[in-house]
Amino acid sequence: MGGAVTPLRGLAGLAGLVALLEVLPHTPLVSADYLPPASVTVETLWHLLAEDAFWTALGDTLTGWGLGLVIAVVAGVVTGIVIGSVPVLRAVTSSTIEFLRPIPSVALIPIAVLLYGTDLRSKLLLVVYASFWQVLVQVLAGMQDVDPVADDTARSYQLGTRGRVRYVMWPTALPYVMTGVRLAATVALVLAITAELVIGAPGLGNQIAVAQSSGAVPRVYALVLVTGLLGVAINLMARAVERRALHWHQSVRRER
């Protein structure tokens, strides 16, 4: 019974927000010229779904998001395992990682434009850079969490580096890896939209910028709504993958 109440509460909150957005433009607090009623936004979204340009933009956004996420995850996992399994490498690279990680990805926008213009590669540069650190930091934390007794036992059984990584380090690091992937999936979408907004790369962000510059306010809100729904869908998908990959883990069994 309690499990069914929580989703209902969430829907109630969403319904309240929609009602508020519908009522506010009809009050003196907010002008409908800048905040159209929710019904107008939904109607505009319905018309958007019939446009080929919208689906092309959605495909461009998902392409940049997906490619960038895959590259970042593969690079982050491989780099994290290599660095985490060699103590000397971890000590040598720790200061470099701590220096590069806090640099905001948007600070690389001028460099991306100089290198690739408004090409897909500009978007990938920002997405990969931002997502890579999410994965790498989690993988390193997972490798550091390996039980030293288990590692010593594997060594006593004369398991090589590959065997220790496969049977000792990877099972310990996997929950951290999945957390990094889930965080990176959301960050990748944020950076893909940002690149399209600022650089002008093809995608939903570019559509939002064009709608804003042409004064199509309901269209702006409809496109923003699409990006929000896309973020929710990506987060749900990432959580589903995480639960499936960690079906053996106690945290997932406890949820069930």
Side-chain angles (χ1 to χ4, degrees):
M1 183 67 180
V5 172
T6 303
L8 289 176
R9 286 178 179 171
L11 290 175
L14 181 60
L17 176 62
V18 172
L20 180 64
L21 293 177
E22 181 67 29
V23 171
L24 269 180
H26 298 289
T27 67
L29 296 174
V30 181
S31 171
D33 294 335
Y34 304 107
L35 178 64
S39 56
V40 175
T41 300
V42 172
E43 183 182 357
T44 305
L45 175 58
W46 180 256
H47 292 306
L48 269 179
L49 298 178
E51 297 180 9
D52 292 338
F54 166 76
W55 294 106
T56 301
L58 178 61
D60 290 333
T61 296
L62 290 176
T63 298
W65 167 79
L67 284 176
L69 181 62
V70 169
I71 294 171
V73 168
V74 172
V77 169
V78 172
T79 306
I81 289 176
V82 171
I83 294 176
S85 58
V86 182
V88 175
L89 270 180
R90 181 164 189 128
V92 169
T93 59
S94 60
S95 58
T96 304
I97 292 173
E98 291 305 315
F99 171 74
L100 293 175
R101 184 169 61 91
I103 297 176
S105 297
V106 291
L108 301 180
I109 287 178
I111 298 175
V113 173
L114 285 174
L115 291 175
Y116 304 118
T118 59
D119 199 297
L120 171 64
R121 292 172 293 179
S122 294
K123 191 191 307 185
L124 289 179
L125 175 62
L126 300 178
V127 171
V128 170
Y129 185 84
S131 305
F132 170 78
W133 300 112
Q134 303 292 329
V135 179
L136 177 63
V137 169
Q138 291 294 327
V139 175
L140 290 176
M143 297 293 285
Q144 194 172 16
D145 198 38
V146 172
D147 187 353
V149 175
D151 193 34
D152 290 341
T153 303
R155 292 175 186 274
S156 68
Y157 280 96
Q158 298 182 344
L159 282 180
T161 302
R162 182 181 299 179
R164 287 169 43 236
V165 168
R166 179 179 179 182
Y167 296 110
V168 179
M169 298 179 182
W170 181 248
T172 302
L174 186 56
Y176 293 86
V177 173
M178 296 312 301
T179 298
V181 171
R182 177 162 50 82
L183 295 174
T186 304
V187 169
L189 178 64
V190 172
L191 266 298
I193 300 293
T194 302
E196 293 160 1
L197 268 169
V198 180
I199 296 175
L204 292 175
N206 189 19
Q207 291 270 310
I208 293 172
V210 171
Q212 186 271 333
S213 62
S214 61
V217 177
R219 188 180 180 91
V220 171
Y221 280 93
L223 288 167
V224 170
L225 177 60
V226 171
T227 60
L229 293 174
L230 192 58
V232 171
I234 286 173
N235 187 56
L236 291 175
M237 181 182 67
R239 287 186 177 278
V241 172
E242 183 179 23
R243 284 194 296 268
R244 186 171 183 83
L246 300 176
H247 64 276
W248 50 272
H249 198 265
Q250 61 179 2
S251 62
V252 175
R253 293 203 304 269
R254 189 162 53 245
E255 281 183 17
R256 292 176 179 174

